[in-house]
Amino acid sequence: MRGDRDGLIAQLRRPPGGRDARIMLLAQCVDRTGTGVWAAASVLYFTFVSRLDARQLGLLLGVGAIAGIAGSPLAGRAAERLSVRALLIGCHLLRLGTMLLLLVADDFAALLSVVALTCLGERAAKTLEMLFATRVAGERRSTYQALFRSVANAGYAIGAGIAALGLGVGTANAYRALILANALSFVLAAALVWRTREPVGHGLVVAQNDSSTPGEPSSAPSPWRDHGYLLFVLLDIPMNLDDSVLNVGLPLWLVHHTSAPHAVVPAFLVVNTVLVVVLQLRVSARAEGARGAAAAVGWYGMTFLACCLVLATATGGRAWSASFAMLGAAILVTLAELLRSVSSWELAVSLAPPRARASYLGVAGMSQSVQKSVGPLLLTGAVMTAGPAGWLALGAVVTGLSLVQRRTGLRRLATLAGPAAPRQAAGAARVASRADQS
């Protein structure tokens, strides 16, 4: 509960992991500031400067999303054999190169390649940051994650503000200046990572069995053959749908199905940013540890269901009531996001065998990338097409899957604990069973 007692500023000054963690948090803030610049300007850049039509733009974003899916497992596999720090610097420099190439790419095929490499590097960098934090923060990784989420959201907000200046000018050179601003963020982030020290566990992190020959590493378990962990990753995909609801579902539902004024849409991001910065540490402090994360999964489902219920009822009434309903939905989906950020990362680490954690975390990172690819299509093609009933069905399904995720997570935790704590495992299973029946 330490993260709850200490304030955000105090925790940022003394983060779990000390000096290296503090530098890495600053690097992540700089990186997310540049990402915020590019996220706000990219679609308009491709539309007005690169002159892409809607079909080409959709294909470009789709290819980038698919490339991002591959970035996580590739980074996790490489981190078992190479320095996490060096790999992360390489990802920043890769994205620096692709941003500069955007300035000279003048045909669609070249843009496809550049965007694919950018997304692959971005997803790989996030996985490596996750692994760095896992090693440097140790058992206090949930506090580090809360601090990261706070500084990342602040960075995104700053980046969006910078982008607004360039978008206000609206010229091609202004758009190119925003690209250069994003590129500069990669240079600064790489320089900051260079100042850190390699966390404990760098290089080949596969542990040795007692029966293995001295000097010869034992074979590490593969996440691709671990059906229990793959089930966790599969169930984690719908546990990330809050991202698509916030960024796609809420704006489109407001515009096409409610009487709320369009000016409410920007408030969704403001509400989300403020709540994450203010509440992330407190939520993380109340869901510490693997079992706390498993409990947070169940609360995620209930909060997500509440958001869907509000959205389903927001279609009637006047503009003011619809506005309040949509803002309430934004608050609820942000609370779901806070719970998910605790549960998803902590369980990804805790459910992985320590001697192959890097490759396992790489596979776990795919869930967010897959959700970003299929989530918007699910919302626009099925949920919103069905109207309010679609939101009710989505909420019910996600809530049910969250309970399944919690139960399977507790069972795997009991299995990993081994025979040393059978009564504790049985007690956890009974608690989960009673909660599911209530």
Side-chain angles (χ1 to χ4, degrees):
M1 300 292 289
R2 180 178 175 182
D4 187 31
R5 293 195 304 265
D6 296 342
L8 175 61
I9 301 301
Q11 285 286 304
L12 287 172
R13 289 173 178 170
R14 299 184 301 275
R19 168 190 174 275
D20 290 329
R22 188 163 53 248
I23 295 174
M24 182 60 72
L25 286 169
L26 179 57
Q28 290 174 305
C29 182
V30 170
D31 181 8
R32 282 3 178 233
T33 299
T35 301
V37 171
W38 179 236
S42 57
V43 171
L44 296 178
Y45 174 84
F46 290 129
T47 301
F48 296 115
V49 179
S50 299
R51 302 293 181 182
L52 301 184
D53 56 33
R55 181 188 62 81
Q56 290 175 316
L57 183 58
L59 178 60
L60 188 74
L61 298 178
V63 168
I66 293 173
I69 295 174
S72 293
L74 289 175
R77 185 66 175 170
E80 289 196 342
R81 288 160 172 78
L82 301 172
S83 161
V84 171
R85 177 171 160 271
L87 288 170
L88 184 52
I89 292 173
C91 287
H92 289 318
L93 296 180
L94 171 63
R95 291 185 290 165
L96 167 64
T98 57
M99 283 294 104
L100 295 179
L101 286 174
L102 272 181
L103 297 174
V104 296
D106 55 1
D107 65 89
F108 185 61
L111 287 174
L112 280 176
S113 300
V114 169
V115 170
L117 284 174
T118 302
C119 293
L120 186 146
E122 178 181 357
R123 191 64 243 178
K126 290 181 178 179
T127 299
L128 293 167
E129 290 170 346
M130 181 179 179
L131 183 56
F132 183 97
T134 300
R135 293 177 179 174
V136 78
E139 295 301 317
R140 295 191 61 206
R141 53 183 173 262
S142 61
T143 301
Y144 182 98
Q145 169 72 350
L147 294 173
F148 157 66
R149 296 261 308 146
S150 297
V151 300
N153 273 267
Y156 287 133
I158 295 171
I162 295 173
L165 299 176
L167 297 179
V169 176
T171 64
N173 285 335
Y175 283 108
R176 295 186 181 102
L178 294 178
I179 291 178
L180 290 176
N182 190 23
L184 177 61
S185 74
F186 298 138
V187 174
L188 297 176
L192 287 168
V193 175
W194 180 263
R195 294 186 57 203
T196 65
R197 294 162 294 191
E198 185 69 20
V200 175
H202 66 85
L204 186 62
V205 298
V206 179
Q208 294 185 1
N209 294 327
D210 294 338
S211 59
S212 61
T213 304
E216 292 183 6
S218 63
S219 59
S222 169
W224 299 107
R225 291 192 288 270
D226 189 334
H227 295 164
Y229 198 82
L230 290 178
L231 176 61
F232 159 73
V233 176
L234 180 64
L235 290 173
D236 198 42
I237 295 173
M239 298 303 107
N240 281 270
L241 276 171
D242 57 271
D243 177 75
S244 291
V245 172
L246 176 67
N247 294 301
V248 178
L250 263 63
L252 291 181
W253 189 253
L254 181 146
V255 170
H256 297 293
H257 297 273
T258 76
S259 56
H262 296 182
V264 175
V265 171
F268 296 153
L269 179 59
V270 175
V271 168
N272 178 263
T273 300
V274 171
L275 289 180
V276 169
V277 172
V278 172
L279 297 179
Q280 185 68 75
L281 265 176
R282 298 180 181 180
V283 173
S284 298
R286 285 167 170 75
E288 280 188 315
R291 297 191 181 280
V297 176
W299 284 109
Y300 173 91
M302 299 303 295
T303 308
F304 190 90
L305 175 60
C307 172
C308 292
L309 288 172
V310 172
L311 288 172
T313 59
T315 55
R318 299 181 178 179
W320 66 268
S321 61
S323 299
F324 277 114
M326 295 303 297
L327 289 174
I331 293 173
L332 288 169
V333 79
T334 300
L335 294 177
E337 177 188 341
L338 293 171
L339 292 164
R340 182 258 302 168
S341 68
V342 174
S343 61
S344 180
W345 191 39
E346 179 62 33
L347 288 177
V349 175
S350 300
L351 299 181
R355 61 197 184 104
R357 188 164 281 166
S359 59
Y360 271 69
L361 292 181
V363 173
M366 295 175 60
S367 60
Q368 293 185 20
S369 301
V370 172
Q371 188 281 139
K372 286 182 178 294
S373 300
V374 303
L377 296 177
L378 172 66
L379 293 181
T380 58
V383 173
M384 286 187 280
T385 301
W391 287 113
L392 297 177
L394 178 67
V397 170
V398 171
T399 301
L401 292 177
S402 72
L403 298 178
V404 175
Q405 179 77 301
R406 186 185 61 174
R407 288 177 61 85
T408 57
L410 288 172
R411 288 173 181 169
R412 183 175 174 90
L413 287 170
T415 302
L416 292 175
R423 281 180 289 185
Q424 182 181 7
R430 286 195 296 270
V431 170
S433 178
R434 286 197 298 268
D436 289 345
Q437 294 171 3
S438 62

